[in-house]
């Protein structure tokens, strides 16, 4: 029995990611979330932000508060990391599914709560719900791949390629007039 227990302990230690691997995995998932977030809000949903709204802040105030939104995504990514580890999720596809389910629940509840107390429009709420669900799904895919032992160099190469693709797609949408161009706020 003692030998069996020590084998399990050794397996548990081997399965425990190092702090640097954990940090780099979470950072990669967060970076992909930020890239997709730019595409979502600067491209796909951008028209919804230029309409006059009693609910939304003006562009200058919203721009100044962007770091708070990015901090919120980091908190969500850390929570998702914890959840996926607790569930033993391994693999990009399984990670995507679990991340998307988590995103649908969190953002669905958030959207319903906002709708109950604010003047936010249904198209904006639906866009947030769907977009943020996909965003957590993408973060889950990165975290699941990392948990499955995919080399971090490969994960980072894919993440950076996807972030660049999101930036390019946002620029294309804005250049084609399908999304209003971003303006630098002074």
């Amino acid at each position: 029995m003692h030998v069996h227990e020590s084998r399990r302990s050794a397996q548990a230690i081997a399965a425990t990611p190092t702090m640097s691997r954990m940090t780099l995995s979470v950072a990669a998932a967060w970076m992909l979330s930020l890239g997709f977030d730019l595409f979502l809000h600067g491209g796909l949903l951008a028209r919804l932000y230029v309409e006059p709204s009693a609910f939304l802040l003006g562009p200058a105030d919203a721009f100044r508060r962007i770091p708070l939104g990015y901090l919120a995504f980091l908190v969500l990514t850390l929570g998702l990391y914890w959840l996926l580890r607790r569930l033993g999720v391994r693999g990009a596809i399984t990670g995507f599914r679990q991340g998307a389910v988590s995103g649908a629940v969190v953002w669905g509840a958030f959207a319903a709560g906002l709708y109950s107390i604010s003047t936010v429009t249904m198209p904006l709420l639906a866009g947030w719900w769907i977009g943020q669900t996909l965003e957590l799904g993408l973060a889950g895919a990165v975290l699941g791949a990392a948990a499955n032992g995919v080399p971090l160099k490969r994960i980072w190469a894919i993440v950076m390629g996807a972030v660049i693709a999101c930036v390019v797609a946002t620029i294309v949408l804005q250049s084609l007039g399908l999304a209003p161009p971003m303006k630098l706020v002074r």
Side-chain angles (χ1 to χ4, degrees):
M1 186 110 164
H2 178 67
V3 172
H4 185 65
E5 285 178 12
S6 65
R7 280 188 196 149
R8 270 193 272 162
S9 296
Q11 289 172 342
I13 291 169
T16 303
T18 64
M19 184 59 84
S20 63
R21 183 165 176 84
M22 180 195 82
T23 302
L24 290 171
S25 299
V26 169
W30 184 50
M31 183 64 60
L32 182 56
S33 293
L34 296 181
F36 183 76
D37 195 68
L38 172 71
F39 172 66
L40 177 65
H41 299 288
L44 297 178
L45 301 179
R47 289 203 182 283
L48 298 175
Y49 295 111
V50 295
E51 297 172 6
S53 169
F55 175 74
L56 295 173
L57 292 173
D61 288 331
F63 184 79
R64 280 192 291 278
R65 294 184 189 187
I66 285 175
L68 294 173
Y70 290 168
L71 178 61
F73 295 141
L74 178 58
V75 170
L76 285 168
T77 304
L78 287 167
L80 184 61
Y81 175 83
W82 174 83
L83 178 64
L84 296 183
R85 292 284 299 162
R86 297 278 298 171
L87 295 175
V89 171
R90 299 174 71 83
I93 293 172
T94 306
F96 179 85
R97 285 183 191 140
Q98 292 297 324
V101 167
S102 298
V105 170
V106 168
W107 289 100
F110 180 65
L114 274 179
Y115 186 70
S116 74
I117 62 164
S118 73
T119 60
V120 67
T121 65
M122 284 304 290
L124 189 54
L125 281 178
W128 282 346
W129 187 10
I130 293 165
Q132 302 308 140
T133 295
L134 290 173
E135 193 168 301
L136 272 182
L138 292 170
V142 170
L143 296 172
N148 208 29
V150 174
L152 286 174
K153 285 184 180 182
R154 182 166 185 234
I155 289 172
W156 272 97
I158 292 168
V159 164
M160 293 315 295
V163 168
I164 291 168
C166 286
V167 169
V168 168
T170 302
I171 292 169
V172 167
L173 285 173
Q174 291 179 4
S175 297
L176 294 175
L178 300 173
M182 288 185 266
K183 297 175 184 169
L184 293 177
V185 179
R186 295 179 191 220

